Amino acid sequence: MRVLLVEDDPLLASGLQVALRQANYWVDHVSDGQMALTALASHDFDLVILDLGLPKVDGLEVLRTVRARPDHTPVLILSARDSAAHRVQGLDLGADDYLTKPFDLDELKARLRVLERRRTGTSTNLLQLGALEIDLNAMRVSWEGRAVELQPYEFKLLRKLAESPSQIFSREQLEASLYGWGEGVESNAINVYVHNLRKKISPQIIRTVRGIGFSIQAVDER
């Protein structure tokens, strides 16, 4: 799950990055509104955490611009502006949730999980495809009732595919969802992860669409 954190307070941003990465989110951070607009125009994110009092471009203007594109990425406003009028304005401009500072970290993570469920159209943080079960909170995978041990990038790839089982993802899309800015990507990394997932789960679990990319398919228990 790739999150764009837009926050100009370096201490808060650093703490949030550590906490969210421990909760299995991949976090990219920018510190002003213009950088946020550039990032959202050039990269795909699953969620955005948006401060309002930003340098260069105010957070509300960032939100207004993004929704006018249109870009439907879920946005959680995280701001010290705590009046009802500010909350109403942010939600009316297209934010999906609004949390005021200071905040409880567990509540923030719970609200992000709600946005995840809305985005994927599920009622719990559990994905089920045939004999495959993925617990998003605990980062646990089971196949035909047995636990499957995956490396972090293998889990991220499986999760990305499982969240949109009818979609074919290009190699570039998968790389963008797994790696942060400036992180080196080996040319055959996706192929290696796909090979490992097929070996650990089922040879049929991931379908290669020649010249296009990869998709996941539900495989029933035998």
Side-chain angles (χ1 to χ4, degrees):
M1 182 65 61
R2 191 173 185 182
V3 175
L4 178 64
L5 172 62
V6 189
E7 172 58 60
D8 66 327
D9 182 329
L11 289 178
L12 177 58
S14 177
L16 280 174
Q17 287 181 84
V18 171
L20 293 176
R21 285 170 181 167
Q22 289 175 344
N24 306 319
Y25 293 96
W26 185 265
V27 185
D28 290 303
H29 170 240
V30 295
S31 57
D32 66 62
Q34 186 56 61
M35 293 172 66
L37 289 173
T38 300
L40 288 165
S42 56
H43 296 80
D44 291 327
F45 295 94
D46 299 302
L47 297 169
V48 178
I49 300 174
L50 177 65
D51 187 20
L52 296 185
L54 297 169
K56 297 185 180 180
V57 180
D58 184 77
L60 288 176
E61 186 58 34
V62 170
L63 182 59
R64 183 182 291 108
T65 302
V66 167
R67 291 304 188 228
R69 282 174 178 169
D71 181 336
H72 302 295
T73 306
V75 174
L76 183 149
I77 290 176
L78 186 61
S79 175
R81 301 177 188 175
D82 59 358
S83 71
H86 285 130
R87 293 195 297 272
V88 169
Q89 185 180 21
L91 294 170
D92 281 347
L93 283 176
D96 298 88
D97 201 355
Y98 195 115
L99 185 61
T100 58
K101 302 174 183 176
F103 60 92
D104 181 83
L105 183 59
D106 287 336
E107 181 181 1
L108 172 63
K109 290 188 287 188
R111 289 176 183 243
L112 292 178
R113 290 194 294 270
V114 170
L115 295 182
E116 286 182 63
R117 293 197 294 270
R118 289 182 192 169
R119 188 183 64 84
T120 58
T122 59
S123 57
T124 68
N125 286 87
L126 191 70
L127 296 177
Q128 183 101 37
L129 287 89
L132 178 68
E133 186 175 279
I134 305 173
D135 186 327
L136 302 181
N137 291 343
M139 279 189 71
R140 286 197 294 261
V141 173
S142 64
W143 168 253
E144 296 182 345
R146 64 173 177 83
V148 179
E149 295 296 328
L150 298 181
Q151 296 300 314
Y153 282 115
E154 295 167 0
F155 181 88
K156 289 180 181 180
L157 177 59
L158 183 66
R159 171 180 181 163
K160 181 67 175 178
L161 294 170
E163 286 176 339
S164 303
S166 62
Q167 183 174 344
I168 300 172
F169 291 92
S170 69
R171 187 184 311 276
E172 292 74 20
Q173 288 175 309
L174 293 174
E175 288 174 348
S177 71
L178 265 63
Y179 297 94
W181 297 334
E183 187 177 5
V185 183
E186 295 184 13
S187 60
N188 67 335
I190 298 300
N191 285 344
V192 171
Y193 301 146
V194 168
H195 170 79
N196 291 345
L197 289 171
R198 287 170 174 161
K199 184 177 180 180
K200 293 179 178 182
I201 299 174
S202 166
Q204 290 81 40
I205 196 67
I206 297 176
R207 181 170 64 104
T208 299
V209 183
R210 189 174 298 276
I212 302 177
F214 304 91
S215 67
I216 198 167
Q217 41 188 25
V219 181
D220 294 329
E221 299 183 36
R222 300 184 187 282

